[in-house]
Amino acid sequence: MERAVVGQGAHIAAGSDAEAVARWLAEYRGSPKTLAAYRREAERLLLWLGERDMTLAEMRRDHLEAFEAFLADPQPSSRWVGPPRPRRADDWRPFRGPLSPASRRQSLVILQGMFAWLVEAGWVTHNPFRLMRDKRRRLDNRQGGIERYLEAPLWGWLWGWLDRPPEQGASARDRFEQARRRFVFGFAYLLAPRIAEMSAARMGDFRRREGRWWWQVVGKGGKSARIPVPPDMAKLLEEWRASLGLAGEPQPDDASPLLRALDGKRGIGDNRLYRLIRETFRGAADELESEQGEGARAWALRLRQATPHWLRHTALTHQAQAGVELRYLAATARHARLDTTARYLHAEDEAWHRQQSRHGLAERGGTRQGADATRDEPV
């Protein structure tokens, strides 16, 4: 195959794929979280191409299949997979592990947008993603219903476990960590924040106006929003502040971190918060199996699969099930599109299931099973 000429006819100042991608990333410098996510996916692709001595301009439709398979199983794992490390560390790796189907879709969505920009910039001549016949299914994140959430009974057990009083003789550190876990999970469940919003939250973001509490948050894309704080969250905040030795209500000018490290003063970052939540899920799964044995295996598996974003999905799903109107649910979620929020509505699934239960097999005695068993046979 004749090697593509890098950047021929380009409308950007770049001398390599890395420089061209850096120009694209610069478009997102106003949104640090988005920039970090896009840089991660672009870097993975560039490293993968580098292993094959290929350029972006040489990517074809069949390469996308190979790349998606690589995202699902980065091999050799010693070369690609490792724990979180500083980017310049010798043992830094691009992956923490294989990507889930949802994460692979998100990666392809990001890279599709990158290629579209590079085509407009004249750096490459075509976008291979446009040749994917099942592109809509593969690249559309607006899938059917949300599945990655904890059902109400499982959440009820989990919160009950988190809400247990400390054991007799627990150390000051154990008491602090238990109070922090309880607050983190309660905060996530009651207000449906993203993990970055939780780690960035300040005490003064909670403000009382005309007798009502609100949470002021700067979310995805730098958009500011104001979310109603329910009574349980106001009480949870008061209890968390008491565990830190603080007065019951924060002041509007209090810029100290909401979530604290073990010293009770410093904040905690996204990575530490992520690990804290995953560790809690795993600890809860172990406790559940210890308490209930073999019968709790399915629930324990769900807990071990859960990630911090499951808490947001759980919060929004349970709000929808509690009857919160779609417009208010969308405002809490801070979704730009109502059809994104509508994925959390499971009422139609339940109604469909009830209707379907009317259809059953005839029993040996000739009678029919199901809720509609007494219905007359059709003539």
Side-chain angles (χ1 to χ4, degrees):
M1 180 179 66
E2 184 179 350
R3 194 168 185 82
V5 179
V6 176
Q8 187 176 21
H11 309 306
I12 54 174
S16 67
D17 279 348
E19 291 180 8
V21 168
R23 295 287 180 181
W24 168 68
L25 289 171
E27 299 292 328
Y28 300 94
R29 56 184 174 269
S31 302
K33 299 297 181 183
T34 300
L35 176 61
Y38 285 17
R39 180 188 292 118
R40 179 182 63 238
E41 303 307 331
E43 184 172 37
R44 287 169 173 169
L45 177 61
L46 290 177
L47 290 171
W48 182 80
L49 289 172
E51 291 280 301
R52 289 154 180 75
D53 193 28
M54 289 173 57
T55 67
L56 289 169
E58 292 173 313
M59 261 197 105
R60 298 291 181 263
R61 169 66 179 83
D62 56 313
H63 297 138
L64 297 180
E65 300 287 350
F67 180 66
E68 186 175 8
F70 167 73
L71 295 177
D73 186 21
Q75 292 294 332
S77 60
S78 60
R79 164 74 177 84
W80 294 99
V81 180
R85 291 288 186 270
R87 177 61 182 85
R88 298 184 183 278
D90 292 338
D91 57 350
W92 174 86
R93 297 293 183 268
F95 293 87
R96 306 286 79 81
L99 299 191
S100 68
S103 295
R104 297 199 298 273
R105 279 198 305 272
Q106 183 65 14
S107 178
L108 296 178
V109 167
I110 291 169
L111 295 174
Q112 179 200 26
M114 182 186 79
F115 263 94
W117 189 91
L118 293 173
V119 168
E120 290 297 317
W123 185 256
V124 297
T125 58
H126 80 294
N127 184 345
F129 291 89
R130 295 185 64 83
L131 300 178
M132 295 174 73
R133 186 179 177 205
D134 57 348
K135 182 166 77 74
R136 180 178 178 82
R137 176 184 64 80
R138 302 269 295 275
L139 302 185
D140 190 350
N141 268 346
R142 298 186 298 276
Q143 302 299 308
I146 289 293
E147 301 293 340
R148 294 174 297 155
Y149 70 98
L150 303 181
E151 294 86 347
L154 179 52
W155 167 258
W157 179 89
L158 177 61
W159 180 249
W161 177 70
L162 290 164
D163 201 31
R164 293 174 186 174
E167 293 182 0
Q168 190 82 16
S171 67
R173 173 172 176 160
D174 288 342
R175 290 175 179 274
F176 175 84
E177 289 186 322
Q178 184 168 352
R180 183 172 63 179
R181 285 193 299 268
R182 179 176 181 270
F183 180 73
V184 165
F185 275 72
F187 178 21
Y189 181 73
L190 292 170
L191 295 182
R194 299 176 176 91
I195 191 168
E197 297 164 354
M198 295 177 73
S199 63
R202 302 292 168 184
M203 287 290 183
D205 293 340
F206 288 87
R207 303 175 185 180
R208 188 198 290 267
R209 288 194 178 91
E210 298 182 358
R212 299 184 182 93
W213 280 99
W214 299 84
W215 177 46
Q216 195 75 29
V217 56
V218 177
K220 199 172 181 180
K223 295 178 181 177
S224 180
R226 194 179 62 158
I227 310 298
V229 174
D232 280 356
M233 183 62 203
K235 181 181 179 183
L236 200 64
L237 177 61
E238 182 179 351
E239 292 168 347
W240 170 237
R241 287 177 60 83
S243 71
L244 296 171
L246 302 174
E249 293 188 7
Q251 298 302 310
D253 60 351
D254 187 349
S256 62
L258 178 67
L259 303 181
R260 307 285 178 95
L262 291 175
D263 64 4
K265 297 178 181 179
R266 292 179 296 112
I268 59 177
D270 296 5
N271 288 338
R272 177 67 192 105
L273 181 57
Y274 183 95
R275 293 196 301 273
L276 186 156
I277 294 172
R278 288 301 303 271
E279 289 164 4
T280 303
F281 275 131
R282 288 193 290 267
D286 293 343
E287 180 67 20
L288 181 59
E289 283 188 323
S290 174
E291 286 183 357
Q292 301 186 19
E294 192 71 15
R297 285 188 63 188
W299 271 13
L301 177 60
R302 290 288 284 174
L303 290 171
R304 291 192 178 100
Q305 291 173 332
T307 68
H309 208 62
W310 282 44
L311 290 173
R312 176 171 162 85
H313 290 327
T314 300
L316 295 171
T317 297
H318 290 188
Q319 286 185 43
Q321 291 172 342
V324 175
E325 292 181 27
L326 183 58
R327 55 179 174 148
Y328 295 125
L329 192 65
T332 296
R334 286 156 286 131
H335 288 152
R337 298 168 57 102
L338 282 179
D339 58 353
T340 301
T341 312
R343 293 183 300 162
Y344 295 93
L345 304 178
H346 297 271
E348 289 186 1
D349 287 349
E350 294 172 8
W352 186 9
H353 210 281
R354 286 196 303 272
Q355 293 286 323
Q356 192 75 358
S357 69
R358 297 178 178 180
H359 177 62
L361 295 170
E363 295 179 347
R364 284 193 176 89
T367 59
R368 294 190 61 80
Q369 302 177 32
D372 212 16
T374 59
R375 183 182 53 197
D376 291 338
E377 296 245 11
V379 294

